[in-house]
Amino acid sequence: MKTRAAVMYEHNQPVVVEDLELEDPKANEVLVRTAASGVCHSDLSVVTGAIYYDAAVVLGHEGAGIIEHVGKDVTDFHVGDHVILSFVTYCSDCKMCRMEKVCLCESYDVPRGYQLDGTYRLYNKSGQGILQMARIATMSEYMVVPHQNLVKIDDRHSLEKAALVGCGVTTGVGAVLNTAKVEPGSSVAVIGTGGVGLNAIQGAVLAKAKKIIAVDIAEKKLDFAKRFGATDVVNATDNDPVEAVRELTEGRGVDYAFEVIGNPDTIVQAYRMVRAAGTAVIVGMAHHQKEFSIPAQHFVATERQIIGSFYGSCQPRVDMPKLLNLYTEGKLKLDELITKHYQLDQINEAFADMEAGENARGVITFN
Ligand code: CXF
Ligand code: ZN
């Protein structure tokens, strides 16, 4: 069948939207009609090569849709099911999965973007095989994906809102609740208030943090941060954010700092703005070749901790339905996250808006 999709053919060049040929699902795979795809900074990182995929690859890793067809041996999903796409494929059986660290599943040693049997499901009109970002590729009208990447949800949820739970919401809220386990009354700083950072702020609200300091360089994004529950904002354009955060915390530093940009300089800032024995949580995906360095003796002498958080340390099939229920109960903001809708053909415009700091989240909807 045909599917219209957003393809990265060359790093740092405009994304091409074109019709591709999509194969039927093989055993253990499912065909999903995409309802909505969020536009996440990690999609742009694939274009720049910061998150490295060979060209060509269909972008998108935050989405939701409806099952159209199930392949052989799929017993846990049926035609018509509403699903969120998870960007990790997990086996439920390896050591990490059994430790409930399913996002760190160790079973699938398949090169990036291929299906689990090492082949393509997408081809362009010249017959070239096209990879799928995170093995899903939500910026396509239809996707063939492993059943392990699907999370069934209740039909009553809006698929457009559910799509956001596929990456940004789970990554941000999960970093606070699952990875760091922030305690009530804590002080928290969030560096970078884009789609994921705003969700770290909402996570801090859910954790009942007392002080939530948002740090960014875009005034518009700091306004979003206030709407999501930041108690204080720091514009790092004209302030040293480490000094500013210290001033707001009696000179001590915060209990937890979340770095949600993926930049070595802001990672070091996160480290420097936590108190002694405080925790810096690195959420942003930095360029795959970049490193950061911190003063080694100071690290020991202050008992600070630095921890990574991938996909909010989530268990997709447990956490995602829970997050949607929080939304239904009015405890999680999803409507306010979507600041602009796009058609798939407008993907390059969506990336430009993201770079300009225009959106909380941009969302591509499919008819
Ligand atoms: C990314 C991590 C690399 C695969 C796609 C998703 N995380 C969040 O945006
Ligand atoms: Zn993402």
Side-chain angles (χ1 to χ4, degrees), residues 29 53-57 89 110-121 129-136 146:
E29 296 173 355
Y53 275 83
D54 286 331
V57 57
T89 315
V110 184
R112 278 204 164 170
Y114 291 91
Q115 286 303 309
L116 291 176
D117 64 0
T119 63
Y120 302 99
R121 294 295 167 273
I130 311 288
L131 298 169
Q132 292 166 261
M133 181 173 179
R135 218 171 268 135
I136 53 179

Side-chain angles (χ1 to χ4, degrees), residues 35 54 89 115 132 157 192 194 199 203 205-206 222 233 235 263 268 300 304 346 364:
D54 286 331
T89 315
Q115 286 303 309
Q132 292 166 261
H157 297 301
N199 282 297
V205 172
L206 287 168
L222 290 171
V233 296
N235 189 327
N263 176 306
V268 174
V300 173
R304 282 173 162 81
Q346 296 172 295
I364 297 167

Side-chain angles (χ1 to χ4, degrees), residues 40 42 51 53 61 87 112 133-134 167 171 285 310:
C40 174
S42 295
I51 295 177
Y53 275 83
H61 61 281
F87 66 72
R112 278 204 164 170
M133 181 173 179
C167 176
T171 301
M285 292 290 279
F310 184 62

Side-chain angles (χ1 to χ4, degrees), residues 88 90 92-105 178-179 181 310-319 322:
V88 296
Y90 62 95
S92 306
D93 203 37
C94 69
K95 177 162 176 148
M96 285 298 125
C97 284
R98 277 184 275 119
M99 287 170 67
E100 299 189 344
K101 288 268 172 203
V102 300
C103 297
L104 308 178
C105 175
N178 298 333
T179 314
K181 301 186 174 69
F310 184 62
Y311 214 166
S313 310
C314 76
Q315 297 188 64
R317 290 180 186 175
V318 176
D319 292 300
K322 269 196 205 164

Side-chain angles (χ1 to χ4, degrees), residues 184-203:
S186 300
S187 55
V188 168
V190 176
I191 310 178
T193 60
V196 179
L198 292 174
N199 282 297
I201 292 171
Q202 318 210 55

Side-chain angles (χ1 to χ4, degrees), residues 251-285:
R252 187 178 297 121
V254 281
D255 301 322
Y256 297 92
F258 293 85
E259 197 277 356
V260 198
I261 299 174
N263 176 306
D265 295 334
T266 44
I267 289 172
V268 174
Q269 285 173 2
Y271 170 80
R272 292 181 56 224
M273 65 174 64
V274 295
R275 63 162 164 79
T279 306
V281 186
I282 316 307
V283 182
M285 292 290 279

